[in-house]
Amino acid sequence: MTKQFPLEFLWGSATAAHQVEGNNIHSDFWLMENLEGSIFQEPSKEAVDHYNRYREDIELMAKLGLNSYRFSIEWARIEPEEGQFNQKAIDHYRDVLLACREFNLIPLVTLHHFTSPVWLISAGGWESEETPQRFARYCEKVMTELGEYIPYVCTINEANISIGITKIIKRHQAQETAQVGINTDSMAKMQTYYMALGKAFGLHPQQVHSFLGARTEKGLQVIFQAHEAARQVIRSVSPQTQVGITMSLYDIQALPGGEEHAQRALEEEFLQFLPYFQEDDFFGVQNYTRYIYGPDGYIPPAEDAEKTQMGNEYYPEALAGAVRTVYKHLQKPIIVTENGVATSDDQRRVEFIDRALAGLHQCIADGIPVKGYMHWSFLDNFEWQLGYSRTFGLVAVDRSTQARLIKPSAAHLGEIAKGNALLGQ
Ligand code: BGC
């Protein structure tokens, strides 16, 4: 049977400024990538030149059949020095929004997607109590200038990401120590990098609080208070814009005896933050895989389980699991703001999309108000510390010419969006 999605459903793909635009020179990541001894596999450089090629990229999305586009506005471009707003950058993003309008794509704008201006980090970054007001001031400027073109805004991308990062670091450390003991060579390299890091931001290395890192309790509050402060100013300067936040959510599953561990993980990654979302208009779910808990805690995927380039279990059904969990605890409209797979085999992406969407369709049939699906990502892009080595894109990029190469999965998602693909047959 053909599975129909609601007529007004948002079908899109997502990008983030730093990962695609190129030359984001006033951002903390640019600085960190280019330090001597950097822990980044490679610097982002000109990325995939989306800053200049946004128009042809948006046109391509529309041609494929998509009706929406999620992208982020770069704080470091808008406010490269504290309190000094760059009109050219604001005008650039107005042009991007106008291109969306011209090609009939509904924009979902993210105001913070991991990167921050260098000055913010030097002023205490994501542990400073002043950051919520600083963030709100930037949001107010953007929304005053551009709000009329922005129907949906996500304040902060994956506000809870530090929790997942801390877990992954702990698991890796435990594995490494068990296998090879402590590697003094890599420790020395890290030491050099941290010294350079502190120097670059004019701080003690331990005071450098970029967004992607371990977070104290206070730091977590700073992030969610920044969301609330942003929501308040957005409501006052652009009342017609729908406001939400996005969170990184695993599909948390329990084997018999693992229920308590699973419940604790859910508390930590999601439930503890519920009070901050009560006044939001929608909630952005970002999901890539599942985590399974047994009586002794987290159980890694089986050796022979299919893994993605990120080392995650290939498990598209996780999306529906995460959506159902969210709705059980928060009865708000949901937009899937990210879901996808890092793979060099595009047929696996096609299957991933079909299976993830079959689950999502069932969620809607069961009465969960899912309003849209943004596939991560439109383009193969800069995957943070891992550089350009991971391919999440519907469209590949030859970075020597910046030519776009459409993969079958892009056409496939476009057909589903147009209502032509026979999902579930
Ligand atoms: C982030 C993206 C990232 C993707 C794949 C999400 O955590 O929002 O920036 O590229 O996952 O790892």
Side-chain angles (χ1 to χ4, degrees):
M1 192 190 67
T2 309
K3 294 186 170 109
Q4 296 288 346
F5 279 80
L7 269 182
E8 67 287 4
F9 198 73
L10 300 174
W11 290 105
S13 59
T15 62
H18 188 76
Q19 294 177 270
V20 294
E21 286 181 347
N23 298 308
N24 186 17
I25 58 172
H26 299 291
S27 73
D28 55 348
F29 274 72
W30 182 270
L31 196 153
M32 295 188 289
E33 288 157 26
N34 289 292
L35 283 181
E36 232 189 288
S38 176
I39 54 170
F40 285 75
Q41 268 183 25
E42 57 188 314
S44 55
K45 292 190 173 163
E46 68 291 343
V48 287
D49 198 29
H50 184 64
Y51 200 80
N52 297 310
R53 289 165 200 260
Y54 67 89
R55 209 184 138 77
E56 61 180 79
D57 287 338
I58 287 172
E59 185 176 5
L60 178 54
M61 292 172 204
K63 275 195 183 145
L64 287 166
L66 304 177
N67 65 15
S68 184
Y69 175 34
R70 174 176 178 241
F71 64 94
S72 76
I73 290 183
E74 182 58 52
W75 186 358
R77 289 190 194 274
I78 302 283
E79 194 180 357
E81 296 297 333
E82 180 163 17
Q84 291 178 17
F85 297 103
N86 181 333
Q87 194 58 43
K88 265 176 91 176
I90 294 170
D91 293 344
H92 166 80
Y93 289 112
R94 184 178 298 104
D95 289 345
V96 176
L97 288 159
L98 286 172
C100 288
R101 187 171 277 191
E102 185 184 335
F103 292 105
N104 292 316
L105 295 180
I106 295 174
L108 249 88
V109 170
T110 306
L111 291 165
H112 187 273
H113 194 125
F114 296 168
T115 41
S116 310
V118 170
W119 63 260
L120 185 92
I121 305 306
S122 295
W126 292 95
E127 291 282 342
S128 163
E129 280 160 16
E130 288 173 60
T131 290
Q133 283 323 308
R134 290 176 163 138
F135 181 59
R137 182 181 56 193
Y138 147 72
C139 293
E140 185 173 12
K141 179 70 180 171
V142 170
M143 296 306 288
T144 303
E145 295 258 2
L146 307 177
E148 63 181 296
Y149 308 106
I150 304 181
Y152 298 93
V153 80
C154 309
T155 55
I156 297 181
N157 181 68
E158 298 194 339
N160 61 342
I161 185 81
S162 61
I163 290 164
I165 292 178
T166 311
K167 274 189 191 156
I168 291 168
I169 293 174
K170 276 191 190 152
R171 278 178 206 152
H172 277 291
Q173 279 171 345
Q175 272 169 7
E176 269 181 25
T177 319
Q179 282 162 13
V180 289
I182 291 169
N183 180 332
T184 48
D185 197 37
S186 71
M187 273 179 69
K189 271 195 189 145
M190 287 296 269
Q191 195 70 15
T192 314
Y193 172 68
Y194 281 117
M195 294 312 289
L197 190 67
K199 204 165 153 212
F201 286 101
L203 298 168
H204 184 280
Q206 282 177 353
Q207 292 172 326
V208 178
H209 300 299
S210 194
F211 193 84
L212 284 187
R215 200 72 332 130
T216 64
E217 279 298 314
K218 190 186 118 201
L220 274 175
Q221 274 178 27
V222 164
I223 292 174
F224 287 89
Q225 283 163 2
H227 166 63
E228 288 191 312
R231 185 179 60 211
Q232 204 181 340
V233 293
I234 295 166
R235 288 257 158 81
S236 74
V237 300
S238 187
Q240 86 293 346
T241 302
Q242 306 272 302
V243 190
I245 192 168
T246 87
M247 297 270 280
S248 158
L249 297 169
Y250 295 90
D251 175 17
I252 294 175
Q253 300 184 356
L255 296 182
E259 294 82 359
E260 265 182 42
H261 287 289
Q263 184 60 25
R264 208 169 311 134
L266 186 64
E267 280 285 340
E268 210 182 4
E269 96 170 13
F270 178 55
L271 298 180
Q272 62 162 321
F273 305 114
L274 280 173
Y276 293 103
F277 312 141
Q278 298 307 319
E279 287 173 41
D280 291 1
D281 297 307
F282 69 91
F283 184 84
V285 171
Q286 309 205 161
N287 169 268
Y288 288 88
T289 192
R290 68 174 165 184
Y291 277 172
I292 301 178
Y293 291 86
D296 299 324
Y298 170 73
I299 303 181
E303 286 283 308
D304 60 351
E306 180 178 351
K307 314 264 178 22
T308 74
Q309 289 172 339
M310 301 297 280
N312 290 331
E313 182 188 5
Y314 178 98
Y315 184 70
E317 287 71 22
L319 177 63
V323 165
R324 285 178 193 281
T325 304
V326 165
Y327 196 63
K328 191 168 147 200
H329 299 280
L330 183 73
Q331 283 79 47
K332 298 259 178 202
I334 290 173
I335 299 178
V336 177
T337 40
E338 279 183 33
N339 173 248
V341 57
T343 176
S344 57
D345 177 353
D346 195 55
Q347 279 313 309
R348 302 308 293 139
R349 189 174 348 268
V350 168
E351 181 175 330
F352 192 96
I353 291 172
D354 280 348
R355 284 169 51 186
L357 288 178
L360 202 61
H361 184 269
Q362 194 54 50
C363 291
I364 298 171
D366 293 343
I368 301 179
V370 184
K371 304 295 181 195
Y373 175 84
M374 303 294 128
H375 191 79
W376 183 269
S377 179
F378 183 61
L379 300 163
D380 284 342
N381 64 39
F382 181 71
E383 180 57 25
W384 309 110
Q385 269 93 338
L386 299 170
Y388 294 96
S389 61
R390 304 297 191 269
T391 47
F392 278 94
L394 297 167
V395 174
V397 181
D398 173 348
R399 290 186 64 243
S400 66
T401 59
Q402 297 291 7
R404 273 51 176 160
L405 311 159
I406 301 169
K407 301 182 195 177
S409 55
H412 186 67
L413 184 63
E415 287 304 306
I416 296 174
K418 287 190 272 184
N420 293 336
L422 303 180
L423 249 185
Q425 282 214 328

